[in-house]
Amino acid sequence: MIYLANTAHWQFLGLVAGFLAWILIMTTNGMNEWRLWYVTDKSVVTSGVAWVGIWRVCFYSHTLPKFENCQWISISDTFVPAEISVAQVLMLLAVICGLAGNISAALAMRMAYFSVEDRSNIRLAFVLAGTLYVFTAVLCLVPLGWNMSSVLNNSTIDFPPEFYLPEAPASQQVGTAIGMGMVASIMMLICGLVFLCYQYVWQTLSSEAPRHTRDPLHGTWTEFPNGNQGIDNPTFQTEEVS
């Protein structure tokens, strides 16, 4: 049986990078700094800036200057714009899909690095891992790009009165969460391409050494007239007397 450990170093690095990218995606999902809203009225938002995420809106107020005042955003809220609602769904799917991709990639690397008797599913494992990685990157890029476009276009959000935020800010800025998500998505996309481009999964494994051609003692096989096979034992071999 052949070993593929010396041919899958890039895929191993892809697995490590995919795991790091998955952690960054989860971090992006939970961060508040998707949008930075700058407001002119600092009577409530004393810092002058509010952090608008896909799950909550936070800002510093004079009532609790050392703590963030946060309001949760639900997908069922009527004031939530489409890009935030879509981001809530797609980012959760990206976390689940990224986890499945890491599990598939780990299984594929186990098949490549260890002597697994049944290698019939090695191609499926590598292709599945690469596909899940690419799909995770797409799931992230769609909401990230959409929210970035909304920030650049200074789109408004009709917040209810309890949020203490104006409908339109004085200006908006792309938050660090979007930048982190973009980096994680690109990493995940590269990892997927690395697994999909692994050339050995597209080649047949027929080059594996045939089994049972030699016995454990390295004896040679002898074919008998009746079709049975046996091993020549040097002890019973005699030299011809001239």
Side-chain angles (χ1 to χ4, degrees):
M1 178 176 292
I2 61 172
Y3 292 86
L4 302 178
N6 61 339
T7 66
H9 297 319
W10 285 106
Q11 284 66 35
F12 178 77
L13 293 177
L15 172 60
V16 175
F19 182 75
L20 294 177
W22 179 65
I23 294 178
L24 292 178
I25 289 174
M26 288 194 299
T27 305
T28 301
N29 191 18
M31 289 181 66
N32 302 324
E33 293 82 2
W34 281 62
R35 307 184 187 188
L36 300 182
W37 274 42
Y38 294 95
V39 297
T40 55
D41 185 8
K42 298 183 179 180
S43 59
V44 178
V45 185
T46 55
S47 61
V49 58
W51 298 273
V52 180
I54 62 176
W55 299 107
R56 56 185 179 178
V57 178
C58 298
F59 58 85
Y60 287 104
S61 177
H62 62 279
T63 55
L64 294 172
K66 295 184 179 181
F67 299 93
E68 289 184 346
N69 181 18
C70 297
Q71 296 286 343
W72 288 92
I73 300 176
S74 174
I75 193 173
S76 59
D77 292 334
T78 57
F79 68 90
V80 177
E83 61 269 21
I84 292 182
S85 299
V86 171
Q88 290 178 344
V89 176
L90 293 185
M91 290 302 293
L92 286 178
L93 291 177
V95 172
I96 298 173
C97 188
L99 176 61
N102 285 326
I103 295 175
S104 300
L107 179 61
M109 295 309 301
R110 177 181 179 273
M111 292 181 179
Y113 271 76
F114 299 97
S115 177
V116 180
E117 291 295 332
D118 184 11
R119 290 176 178 260
S120 59
N121 295 324
I122 187 171
R123 178 181 300 178
L124 175 62
F126 273 89
V127 173
L128 180 61
T131 303
L132 288 173
Y133 277 154
V134 172
F135 189 56
T136 302
V138 173
L139 289 174
C140 291
L141 288 174
V142 171
L144 290 170
W146 195 352
N147 280 271
M148 180 183 293
S149 175
S150 298
V151 172
L152 297 178
N153 294 327
N154 201 24
S155 299
T156 62
I157 301 177
D158 189 12
F159 287 110
E162 59 267 19
F163 279 70
Y164 300 104
L165 290 175
E167 177 181 353
S171 61
Q172 292 189 56
Q173 184 179 344
V174 177
T176 56
I178 294 182
M180 180 183 297
M182 287 290 183
V183 173
S185 301
I186 294 174
M187 288 176 59
M188 194 68 76
L189 181 61
I190 294 175
C191 293
L193 295 178
V194 167
F195 272 85
L196 289 176
C197 294
Y198 182 47
Q199 59 179 344
Y200 288 93
V201 303
W202 302 106
Q203 299 175 357
T204 61
L205 296 176
S206 59
S207 58
E208 294 188 2
R211 302 176 183 175
H212 309 305
T213 55
R214 299 178 66 87
D215 76 313
L217 299 177
H218 305 288
T220 57
W221 292 98
T222 302
E223 189 75 23
F224 288 92
N226 58 2
N228 296 327
Q229 288 182 335
I231 303 175
D232 291 337
N233 192 332
T235 306
F236 297 97
Q237 293 180 355
T238 57
E239 297 181 358
E240 293 183 0
V241 179
S242 57

